[in-house]
């Protein structure tokens, strides 16, 4: 196979007289890999024809960012960098800004760190702007500059009025929030110098452009330069910046890995348009855990925090329905009970289908093989469909037991009695392996009124069973769990 790729570029001097010192680089639009010359296939991610030319602005490029930061920065002692011994460095926690939102605080790792830069990503219409505007309205003790490159002042006013109908006492509009509709980075920095805010929100980074780069807003070059200038501003002034980012049709952040490398924290707002629930998930966090989840309910008057997700994820009445099992799962530090639904039916066509929503498809195939080999249930000619209720995507391995129980319940068309839940990872030999934080799982099930919980036998060593009123059923193998459920 021959590739004839003619890539003619005019010399940098022909573009603009001031650009003689600019450098040209090529960046993979899929993974952010840089190269000095154009390459057909990216050596990092293996994609073809993803390298795009970018022009790297010379050092004078970030003058606006530096002058804004120096105006805002207060006079400090001479703190030029020098090497320090590890033992000399203070290990005290960074002071955090309380966002007056328990879910957002948890995902950020305890609040917003001064001088940090946070990227909030999500699909169109999922509620990114609503979340950031609602948070800005709630932070009445901070002076906030909200920069919108996508909506007019009138649209933002309408949204703010809709949010402030919410009965929470904190979200009262006041003079602390300043709205700016602007897409020029230099103009934004001029306004920052005048206003001297304590928090800057940029909605969205794809609409902002700088005059130093010769390309359209939203291109890799513009996104990279604008994000880098905002990073320099945040770090040198100590003012945190929240960037809102779009998502491409592949589901990754637009301006892809370049943005993720630059920022301190990446949080993704996800959820199904057909469900009212929205999940805030931390993908990268230099100041906290990335396994945290925040759950919101989308209402007409904004986003409502869901402090007890178990009540949302359990449909109350499923007595007499087969194929439903309740699992005690943990995401981050929060336990919640989640409903696993399964449907097993005879394959109408030659090849049986295996489909999973909210659960790993390959793991489902493995669990079905365990059922076939170790428990002796023949599912080879059956279609198997799995769904995690509420549009949730769960990665906890303790879901295995409830998936197997739901599949079996649907296969024999026998409902699992109400009041039973379970937690356990299933191994390839059909053993039930121990799971982490078993006490929290049991306590959550007890709190929600369950009378029986199936747990791995190995988890019970060192566990004080007397402090729980719920009945524990320890099992070593999958057969024992199924015998306890179905007799």
């Amino acid at each position: 196979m021959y590739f004839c790729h003619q890539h003619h570029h005019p010399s940098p001097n022909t573009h603009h007289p001031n650009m003689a010192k600019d450098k040209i680089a090529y960046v993979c639009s899929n993974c952010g890999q840089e190269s000095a010359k154009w390459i057909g296939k990216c050596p990092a991610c293996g994609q073809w024809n993803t390298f795009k030319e970018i022009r790297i602005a010379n050092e004078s490029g970030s003058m606006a960012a530096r002058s804004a930061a120096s105006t805002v920065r207060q006079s400090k002692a001479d703190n030029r960098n020098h090497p320090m011994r590890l033992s000399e460095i203070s290990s005290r926690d960074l002071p955090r800004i309380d966002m007056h939102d328990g879910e957002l605080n948890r995902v950020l790792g305890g609040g917003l760190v001064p001088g940090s830069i946070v990227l909030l990503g999500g699909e169109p219409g999922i509620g990114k702007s609503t979340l950031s505007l609602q948070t800005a309205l709630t932070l009445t003790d901070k002076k906030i500059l909200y920069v919108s490159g996508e909506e007019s002042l009138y649209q933002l006013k309408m949204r703010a009025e809709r949010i402030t109908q919410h009965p929470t006492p904190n979200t009262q509009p006041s003079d602390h929030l300043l709205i700016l509709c602007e897409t020029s980075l230099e103009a934004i920095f001029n306004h920052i110098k005048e206003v001297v805010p304590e928090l800057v929100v940029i909605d969205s980074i794809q609409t902002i452009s700088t005059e130093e780069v010769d390309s359209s807003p939203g291109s890799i070059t513009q996104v990279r330069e604008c994000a880098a200038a905002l990073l320099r501003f945040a770090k040198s002034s100590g003012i945190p910046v929240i960037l809102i980012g779009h998502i491409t049709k592949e589901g990754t952040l637009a301006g892809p890995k370049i943005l993720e490398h630059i920022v301190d924290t990446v949080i993704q707002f996800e959820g199904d348009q057909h469900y009212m629930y929205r999940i805030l998930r931390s993908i990268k966090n230099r100041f906290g855990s990335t396994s945290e989840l925040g759950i919101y309910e989308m209402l007409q008057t904004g986003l409502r925090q869901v402090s007890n997700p178990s009540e949302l994820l359990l449909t109350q009445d499923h007595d007499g329905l087969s194929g439903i099992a309740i699992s005690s799962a943990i995401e981050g530090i929060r336990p919640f009970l989640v409903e696993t639904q399964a449907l097993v039916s005879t394959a109408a066509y030659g090849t049986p289908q295996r489909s999973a929503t909210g659960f790993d498809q390959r793991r489902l195939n493995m669990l079905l093989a365990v059922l076939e080999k170790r428990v002796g249930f023949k599912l080879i000619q059956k279609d198997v469909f799995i769904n995690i209720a509420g549009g949730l995507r769960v990665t906890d391995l303790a879901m295995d037991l409830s998936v197997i129980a739901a599949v079996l319940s649907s296969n024999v068309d026998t409902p699992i009695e109400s009041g039973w839940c379970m937690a356990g990872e299933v191994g390839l030999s059909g053993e039930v392996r121990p799971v982490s934080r078993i006490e929290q799982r049991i306590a959550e099930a007890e709190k929600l009124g369950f009378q029986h919980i199936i747990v791995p036998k190995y988890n019970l060593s060192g566990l004080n069973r007397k402090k729980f009123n719920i009945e524990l059923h320890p099992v070593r193998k999958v057969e024992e769990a199924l015998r306890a459920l179905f007799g």
Side-chain angles (χ1 to χ4, degrees):
M1 185 186 286
Y2 289 91
F3 280 87
C4 177
H5 191 92
Q6 295 179 334
H7 214 75
H8 295 302
H9 295 289
S11 69
N13 297 326
T14 59
H15 271 274
H16 197 282
N18 295 337
M19 293 211 170
K21 288 183 284 188
D22 288 6
K23 288 191 295 187
I24 288 180
Y26 295 88
V27 172
C28 171
S29 59
N30 187 53
C31 70
Q33 172 83 9
E34 283 195 30
S35 165
K37 62 179 193 297
W38 190 87
I39 315 173
K41 181 183 180 184
C42 174
C45 63
Q47 296 290 315
W48 284 94
N49 293 327
T50 52
F51 273 88
K52 303 278 190 291
E53 177 192 314
I54 70 159
R55 203 168 286 279
I56 300 169
N58 49 29
E59 261 313 294
S60 64
S62 56
M63 284 302 287
R66 279 203 287 274
S67 76
S70 62
T71 307
V72 172
R73 184 176 37 212
Q74 290 164 7
S75 56
K76 295 177 183 171
D78 183 21
N79 59 351
R80 278 177 295 205
N81 286 342
H82 60 276
M84 286 179 75
R85 288 189 180 87
L86 190 60
S87 56
E88 295 171 359
I89 301 169
S90 162
S91 61
R92 62 180 171 76
D93 280 348
L94 288 159
R96 304 259 182 171
I97 298 168
D98 180 12
M99 304 300 282
H100 302 304
D101 181 330
E103 303 294 301
L104 185 57
N105 277 340
R106 181 191 294 109
V107 175
L108 288 170
L112 189 63
V113 176
S116 66
I117 185 161
V118 175
L119 177 64
L120 171 62
E123 291 177 6
I126 209 82
K128 304 183 295 292
S129 300
T130 303
L131 177 66
S132 45
L133 187 60
Q134 185 173 311
T135 307
L137 284 166
T138 314
L139 282 168
T140 49
D141 54 339
K142 293 268 183 280
K143 193 173 187 181
I144 298 169
L145 180 63
Y146 189 101
V147 182
S148 176
E150 300 186 334
E151 294 175 299
S152 67
L153 293 170
Y154 176 65
Q155 287 171 308
L156 285 161
K157 175 70 174 172
M158 281 171 57
R159 175 176 284 160
E161 282 176 349
R162 198 178 73 231
I163 292 170
T164 48
Q165 292 166 8
H166 206 310
T168 53
N170 285 346
T171 47
Q172 292 305 316
S174 71
D175 298 336
H176 75 285
L177 179 60
L178 300 162
I179 305 286
L180 171 67
C181 292
E182 182 59 76
T183 56
S184 161
L185 186 69
E186 285 74 19
I188 290 167
F189 281 131
N190 288 337
H191 287 292
I192 287 174
K193 275 161 69 175
E194 288 170 26
V195 171
V196 192
E198 294 169 89
L199 171 65
V200 178
V201 181
I202 306 281
D203 180 10
S204 68
I205 185 65
Q206 273 82 17
T207 58
I208 307 297
S209 61
T210 172
E211 296 161 10
E212 290 140 17
V213 176
D214 205 16
S215 62
S216 58
S219 66
I220 290 186
T221 323
Q222 284 285 11
V223 167
R224 172 196 178 114
E225 284 300 318
C226 293
L230 286 161
L231 175 76
R232 281 191 291 270
F233 160 73
K235 295 297 177 201
S236 54
S237 66
I239 296 172
V241 177
I242 296 174
L243 305 177
I244 295 177
H246 292 173
I247 273 191
T248 61
K249 58 182 181 289
E250 287 85 25
T252 56
L253 280 158
K257 298 295 176 187
I258 294 173
L259 266 181
E260 290 185 28
H261 292 317
I262 289 173
V263 300
D264 295 315
T265 306
V266 180
I267 48 180
Q268 195 147 329
F269 209 34
E270 55 191 49
D272 198 316
Q273 299 278 10
H274 308 295
Y275 288 98
M276 287 296 97
Y277 318 127
R278 299 285 183 266
I279 293 161
L280 196 60
R281 202 183 287 271
S282 174
I283 297 172
K284 166 191 173 178
N285 194 348
R286 288 182 180 151
F287 308 111
S289 163
T290 55
S291 57
E292 290 306 343
L293 275 189
I295 300 183
Y296 293 88
E297 186 181 7
M298 188 61 131
L299 303 171
Q300 188 64 34
T301 50
L303 293 153
R304 183 182 73 84
Q305 300 173 44
V306 176
S307 50
N308 187 1
S310 297
E311 289 172 11
L312 283 178
L313 301 172
L314 297 178
T315 51
Q316 297 308 318
D317 185 28
H318 51 253
D319 281 359
L321 301 176
S322 66
I324 291 177
I326 310 296
S327 178
S328 186
I330 281 187
E331 286 278 332
I333 57 166
R334 29 183 359 185
F336 47 82
L337 276 93
V338 61
E339 191 179 295
T340 311
Q341 303 169 341
L343 175 66
V344 179
S345 63
T346 308
Y349 307 103
T351 313
Q353 295 182 61
R354 304 276 187 259
S355 171
T357 308
F359 189 76
D360 186 9
Q361 173 110 26
R362 287 169 299 187
R363 188 138 194 102
L364 171 63
N365 291 336
M366 186 208 89
L367 294 172
L368 294 177
V370 169
L371 265 179
E372 183 119 3
K373 177 87 173 171
R374 306 291 176 194
V375 192
F377 277 86
K378 296 281 175 267
L379 296 167
I380 195 120
Q381 290 303 317
K382 302 281 180 83
D383 289 340
V384 180
F385 305 97
I386 289 285
N387 178 43
I388 306 298
L392 199 66
R393 181 165 56 86
V394 184
T395 54
D396 190 3
L397 294 174
M399 296 282 296
D400 290 357
L401 211 50
S402 66
V403 168
I404 280 185
V407 166
L408 220 55
S409 164
S410 178
N411 190 36
V412 296
D413 205 15
T414 306
I416 294 171
E417 284 181 50
S418 62
W420 282 75
C421 70
M422 60 208 78
E425 181 190 342
V426 174
L428 288 176
S429 58
E431 83 278 17
V432 178
R433 300 168 63 86
V435 292
S436 63
R437 309 235 283 283
I438 192 73
E439 289 193 32
Q440 280 175 277
R441 297 174 194 267
I442 297 170
E444 180 75 5
E446 190 177 310
K447 187 174 88 180
L448 286 164
F450 284 82
Q451 293 93 40
H452 304 272
I453 183 167
I454 297 175
V455 293
K457 191 166 190 177
Y458 301 107
N459 270 128
L460 289 188
S461 58
L463 187 72
N464 180 11
R465 297 174 68 165
K466 292 192 179 70
K467 68 177 181 182
F468 298 113
N469 296 323
I470 188 170
E471 191 177 337
L472 304 181
H473 298 268
V475 295
R476 276 183 60 243
K477 292 185 182 158
V478 174
E479 302 101 274
E480 294 172 33
L482 299 176
R483 207 172 297 126
L485 285 170
F486 301 107

